[in-house]
Amino acid sequence: MENRYGIKAIAIDLDGTLLTTEKIITDRTIQTLRHVMDNGIHVSIATGRSLTTASRFIEQVGTKFPAVCYNGSCIYDPSNNKDLWHIALDSSICKRIVDISLTSPAHLHAFQEHELYFTENGRNADYLEPLSGKTGKAIDFSKLSPLRFTKAMFIGERTETDRIQSLLKNEFGSTLHLVYSHADYFEIMTGGATKGSALERLMDMYGIHSDQVMAFGDADNDKEMLTWAKFGIAMGNAHETIKSVASDTATHNDDDGVAKKIQEIMGFQLPD
């Protein structure tokens, strides 16, 4: 393996990037990632998912390097089973989010202390991760105390989630980081909590600079990460607005896009 650019770490989004549309990681991709890890390159999963739903993919890849979860609100160390960094929304903001949910047809999913909460009616709203209906807990949000969401997410029609986004922007401005991870998945984190800021924080812990990092993503919540890393790579299935901020483009997530681009840039080829 040449590694002619001196890359020390690779950060990879899950949905639409590392995962195929069938929500699997191909054997070719796993072999590629394990090859670079065997050659001393760190691999970090950087996802909007919760730790619970990301863990099985982290284990499947076999990386022990810390992961970025909840769109940058948490850095988790799988080797020691602990958070290295974790930030949550202020309780007054959480209360406002709950109040909005009471009159909205969009379903609120909230993550707190690595637990997922939703109302019974919203149990199956997360169609991208059907297992969440079983791993989460149906509750009455008015009875949850304290309220300190790591991330809140409204799942519903775009017109409704756009309305909620406008409300929160007007009320809280830059104190919140508001982003879509999917067409109708509107996510709310505290201001400054992005994949990019978390990745920078993580790499600083290991003395790794942005020009030594490769990052892969496909969605709006990957923008900051792709612009921070010198080798910011958008997937072929990414929207044009994401490709426009990336330094390079990979093939589709259903075409081993991550594996092919890593092999191309790192200068090696594995047998099919």
Side-chain angles (χ1 to χ4, degrees):
M1 190 175 78
E2 296 178 32
N3 195 11
R4 55 188 178 276
Y5 298 109
I7 293 167
K8 293 186 176 181
I10 303 173
I12 314 171
D13 168 54
L14 286 177
D15 297 282
T17 302
L18 189 65
L19 306 184
T20 68
T21 53
E22 298 299 321
K23 303 301 177 187
I24 64 170
I25 310 174
T26 67
D27 289 341
R28 181 178 184 179
T29 298
I30 290 175
Q31 290 171 11
T32 299
L33 295 178
R34 290 184 178 175
H35 181 76
V36 297
M37 288 189 290
D38 288 344
N39 281 272
I41 310 299
H42 298 300
V43 171
S44 176
I45 300 302
T47 180
R49 284 174 176 255
S50 67
L51 176 62
T52 301
T53 60
S55 289
R56 70 181 185 275
F57 299 116
I58 294 171
E59 292 171 3
Q60 190 175 359
V61 168
T63 177
K64 298 299 183 182
F65 196 70
V68 172
C69 299
Y70 307 102
N71 278 328
S73 293
C74 174
I75 300 172
Y76 174 78
D77 179 5
S79 293
N80 296 298
N81 191 29
K82 68 175 184 178
D83 295 342
L84 298 181
W85 184 76
H86 199 138
I87 191 168
L89 290 159
D90 185 81
S91 58
S92 62
I93 295 175
C94 295
K95 185 178 184 306
R96 179 61 177 134
I97 290 170
V98 170
D99 288 344
I100 290 171
S101 74
L102 296 178
T103 58
S104 173
H107 298 290
L108 173 62
H109 281 212
F111 302 85
Q112 181 168 304
E113 298 297 331
H114 297 304
E115 294 280 1
L116 167 61
Y117 299 101
F118 40 65
T119 63
E120 187 59 53
N121 287 339
R123 177 182 293 276
N124 299 314
D126 187 358
Y127 60 86
L128 290 179
E129 184 47 69
L131 287 178
S132 65
K134 297 180 179 179
T135 58
K137 296 180 180 179
I139 63 162
D140 177 352
F141 277 104
S142 65
K143 296 179 180 178
L144 181 63
S145 181
L147 290 172
R148 291 286 289 171
F149 301 153
T150 302
K151 183 184 82 168
M153 177 170 69
F154 282 97
I155 305 173
E157 295 292 334
R158 186 62 180 250
T159 53
E160 175 61 12
T161 54
D162 278 348
R163 183 188 72 83
I164 296 171
Q165 182 183 45
S166 294
L167 280 176
L168 294 174
K169 273 185 178 179
N170 291 335
E171 293 181 31
F172 300 107
S174 61
T175 61
L176 296 179
H177 177 55
L178 309 173
V179 69
Y180 279 92
S181 60
H182 188 266
D184 45 10
Y185 283 51
F186 170 58
E187 307 198 3
I188 308 155
M189 287 73 58
T190 192
T194 70
K195 288 187 186 182
S197 61
L199 187 61
E200 181 177 7
R201 183 184 295 270
L202 170 58
M203 294 306 161
D204 187 59
M205 294 177 186
Y206 286 82
I208 299 173
H209 304 290
S210 61
D211 60 359
Q212 299 169 314
V213 178
M214 185 189 305
F216 290 86
D218 75 302
D220 190 43
N221 60 333
D222 296 312
K223 280 184 178 179
E224 292 85 0
M225 177 173 73
L226 297 185
T227 54
W228 179 79
K230 180 177 180 180
F231 303 91
I233 300 164
M235 302 303 293
N237 48 286
H239 191 276
E240 289 303 317
T241 57
I242 308 304
K243 293 178 182 178
S244 69
V245 303
S247 62
D248 199 356
T249 303
T251 58
H252 199 280
N253 66 312
D254 285 333
D255 185 39
D256 287 314
V258 170
K260 288 180 178 179
K261 184 56 67 172
I262 288 176
Q263 291 185 32
E264 175 191 328
I265 292 177
M266 303 292 282
F268 70 94
Q269 188 171 1
L270 296 178
D272 291 332

PDB file of all heavy atoms in Angstrom, residues 102-114:
ATOM      1  N   LEU A 102     -46.454  17.974  20.401  1.00  0.00           N
ATOM      2  CA  LEU A 102     -47.800  17.660  20.884  1.00  0.00           C
ATOM      3  C   LEU A 102     -48.891  18.055  19.891  1.00  0.00           C
ATOM      4  O   LEU A 102     -49.989  17.495  19.910  1.00  0.00           O
ATOM      5  CB  LEU A 102     -48.050  18.349  22.232  1.00  0.00           C
ATOM      6  CG  LEU A 102     -47.156  17.893  23.390  1.00  0.00           C
ATOM      7  CD1 LEU A 102     -47.465  18.693  24.651  1.00  0.00           C
ATOM      8  CD2 LEU A 102     -47.326  16.401  23.653  1.00  0.00           C
ATOM      9  N   THR A 103     -48.582  19.025  19.014  1.00  0.00           N
ATOM     10  CA  THR A 103     -49.575  19.474  18.040  1.00  0.00           C
ATOM     11  C   THR A 103     -49.132  19.222  16.602  1.00  0.00           C
ATOM     12  O   THR A 103     -49.744  19.750  15.673  1.00  0.00           O
ATOM     13  CB  THR A 103     -49.856  20.977  18.228  1.00  0.00           C
ATOM     14  OG1 THR A 103     -48.632  21.710  18.077  1.00  0.00           O
ATOM     15  CG2 THR A 103     -50.442  21.254  19.604  1.00  0.00           C
ATOM     16  N   SER A 104     -48.090  18.417  16.433  1.00  0.00           N
ATOM     17  CA  SER A 104     -47.559  18.170  15.089  1.00  0.00           C
ATOM     18  C   SER A 104     -47.842  16.737  14.644  1.00  0.00           C
ATOM     19  O   SER A 104     -47.743  15.800  15.444  1.00  0.00           O
ATOM     20  CB  SER A 104     -46.049  18.412  15.066  1.00  0.00           C
ATOM     21  OG  SER A 104     -45.500  18.027  13.820  1.00  0.00           O
ATOM     22  N   PRO A 105     -48.149  16.557  13.360  1.00  0.00           N
ATOM     23  CA  PRO A 105     -48.303  15.193  12.837  1.00  0.00           C
ATOM     24  C   PRO A 105     -46.959  14.482  12.648  1.00  0.00           C
ATOM     25  O   PRO A 105     -46.926  13.263  12.467  1.00  0.00           O
ATOM     26  CB  PRO A 105     -49.008  15.404  11.500  1.00  0.00           C
ATOM     27  CG  PRO A 105     -48.618  16.786  11.081  1.00  0.00           C
ATOM     28  CD  PRO A 105     -48.511  17.578  12.348  1.00  0.00           C
ATOM     29  N   ALA A 106     -45.863  15.243  12.669  1.00  0.00           N
ATOM     30  CA  ALA A 106     -44.533  14.625  12.581  1.00  0.00           C
ATOM     31  C   ALA A 106     -44.217  13.934  13.900  1.00  0.00           C
ATOM     32  O   ALA A 106     -44.645  14.372  14.968  1.00  0.00           O
ATOM     33  CB  ALA A 106     -43.472  15.680  12.265  1.00  0.00           C
ATOM     34  N   HIS A 107     -43.474  12.845  13.816  1.00  0.00           N
ATOM     35  CA  HIS A 107     -43.172  12.042  15.006  1.00  0.00           C
ATOM     36  C   HIS A 107     -41.827  12.448  15.611  1.00  0.00           C
ATOM     37  O   HIS A 107     -40.810  12.516  14.912  1.00  0.00           O
ATOM     38  CB  HIS A 107     -43.151  10.559  14.643  1.00  0.00           C
ATOM     39  CG  HIS A 107     -44.469  10.056  14.145  1.00  0.00           C
ATOM     40  ND1 HIS A 107     -45.566   9.906  14.964  1.00  0.00           N
ATOM     41  CD2 HIS A 107     -44.875   9.680  12.906  1.00  0.00           C
ATOM     42  CE1 HIS A 107     -46.590   9.454  14.267  1.00  0.00           C
ATOM     43  NE2 HIS A 107     -46.200   9.308  13.012  1.00  0.00           N
ATOM     44  N   LEU A 108     -41.839  12.692  16.910  1.00  0.00           N
ATOM     45  CA  LEU A 108     -40.620  13.047  17.628  1.00  0.00           C
ATOM     46  C   LEU A 108     -39.903  11.790  18.106  1.00  0.00           C
ATOM     47  O   LEU A 108     -40.497  10.940  18.773  1.00  0.00           O
ATOM     48  CB  LEU A 108     -40.953  13.927  18.830  1.00  0.00           C
ATOM     49  CG  LEU A 108     -39.788  14.243  19.781  1.00  0.00           C
ATOM     50  CD1 LEU A 108     -38.689  15.024  19.058  1.00  0.00           C
ATOM     51  CD2 LEU A 108     -40.289  15.021  21.001  1.00  0.00           C
ATOM     52  N   HIS A 109     -38.629  11.688  17.758  1.00  0.00           N
ATOM     53  CA  HIS A 109     -37.730  10.685  18.321  1.00  0.00           C
ATOM     54  C   HIS A 109     -36.624  11.453  19.042  1.00  0.00           C
ATOM     55  O   HIS A 109     -35.988  12.321  18.440  1.00  0.00           O
ATOM     56  CB  HIS A 109     -37.127   9.807  17.228  1.00  0.00           C
ATOM     57  CG  HIS A 109     -38.051   8.736  16.750  1.00  0.00           C
ATOM     58  ND1 HIS A 109     -37.607   7.500  16.316  1.00  0.00           N
ATOM     59  CD2 HIS A 109     -39.392   8.694  16.641  1.00  0.00           C
ATOM     60  CE1 HIS A 109     -38.638   6.761  15.957  1.00  0.00           C
ATOM     61  NE2 HIS A 109     -39.736   7.469  16.140  1.00  0.00           N
ATOM     62  N   ALA A 110     -36.396  11.158  20.301  1.00  0.00           N
ATOM     63  CA  ALA A 110     -35.402  11.887  21.087  1.00  0.00           C
ATOM     64  C   ALA A 110     -34.421  10.912  21.724  1.00  0.00           C
ATOM     65  O   ALA A 110     -34.814   9.849  22.219  1.00  0.00           O
ATOM     66  CB  ALA A 110     -36.089  12.717  22.160  1.00  0.00           C
ATOM     67  N   PHE A 111     -33.158  11.299  21.714  1.00  0.00           N
ATOM     68  CA  PHE A 111     -32.086  10.460  22.243  1.00  0.00           C
ATOM     69  C   PHE A 111     -31.505  11.129  23.489  1.00  0.00           C
ATOM     70  O   PHE A 111     -31.111  12.297  23.452  1.00  0.00           O
ATOM     71  CB  PHE A 111     -30.997  10.283  21.193  1.00  0.00           C
ATOM     72  CG  PHE A 111     -31.496   9.677  19.902  1.00  0.00           C
ATOM     73  CD1 PHE A 111     -32.065  10.470  18.917  1.00  0.00           C
ATOM     74  CD2 PHE A 111     -31.408   8.305  19.674  1.00  0.00           C
ATOM     75  CE1 PHE A 111     -32.532   9.923  17.731  1.00  0.00           C
ATOM     76  CE2 PHE A 111     -31.879   7.750  18.492  1.00  0.00           C
ATOM     77  CZ  PHE A 111     -32.441   8.561  17.523  1.00  0.00           C
ATOM     78  N   GLN A 112     -31.454  10.371  24.563  1.00  0.00           N
ATOM     79  CA  GLN A 112     -30.938  10.904  25.821  1.00  0.00           C
ATOM     80  C   GLN A 112     -30.211   9.795  26.577  1.00  0.00           C
ATOM     81  O   GLN A 112     -30.777   8.722  26.798  1.00  0.00           O
ATOM     82  CB  GLN A 112     -32.094  11.462  26.661  1.00  0.00           C
ATOM     83  CG  GLN A 112     -31.678  12.073  27.978  1.00  0.00           C
ATOM     84  CD  GLN A 112     -32.807  12.875  28.625  1.00  0.00           C
ATOM     85  OE1 GLN A 112     -33.358  13.785  28.016  1.00  0.00           O
ATOM     86  NE2 GLN A 112     -33.156  12.534  29.856  1.00  0.00           N
ATOM     87  N   GLU A 113     -28.964  10.076  26.959  1.00  0.00           N
ATOM     88  CA  GLU A 113     -28.146   9.077  27.672  1.00  0.00           C
ATOM     89  C   GLU A 113     -28.138   7.740  26.936  1.00  0.00           C
ATOM     90  O   GLU A 113     -28.261   6.674  27.540  1.00  0.00           O
ATOM     91  CB  GLU A 113     -28.650   8.902  29.107  1.00  0.00           C
ATOM     92  CG  GLU A 113     -28.574  10.159  29.953  1.00  0.00           C
ATOM     93  CD  GLU A 113     -27.152  10.651  30.154  1.00  0.00           C
ATOM     94  OE1 GLU A 113     -26.211   9.813  30.139  1.00  0.00           O
ATOM     95  OE2 GLU A 113     -26.965  11.873  30.310  1.00  0.00           O
ATOM     96  N   HIS A 114     -28.023   7.813  25.607  1.00  0.00           N
ATOM     97  CA  HIS A 114     -27.954   6.640  24.725  1.00  0.00           C
ATOM     98  C   HIS A 114     -29.231   5.804  24.719  1.00  0.00           C
ATOM     99  O   HIS A 114     -29.221   4.648  24.300  1.00  0.00           O
ATOM    100  CB  HIS A 114     -26.745   5.764  25.060  1.00  0.00           C
ATOM    101  CG  HIS A 114     -25.432   6.451  24.866  1.00  0.00           C
ATOM    102  ND1 HIS A 114     -25.074   7.023  23.659  1.00  0.00           N
ATOM    103  CD2 HIS A 114     -24.394   6.670  25.718  1.00  0.00           C
ATOM    104  CE1 HIS A 114     -23.862   7.563  23.784  1.00  0.00           C
ATOM    105  NE2 HIS A 114     -23.438   7.366  25.019  1.00  0.00           N
TER     106      HIS A 114
END
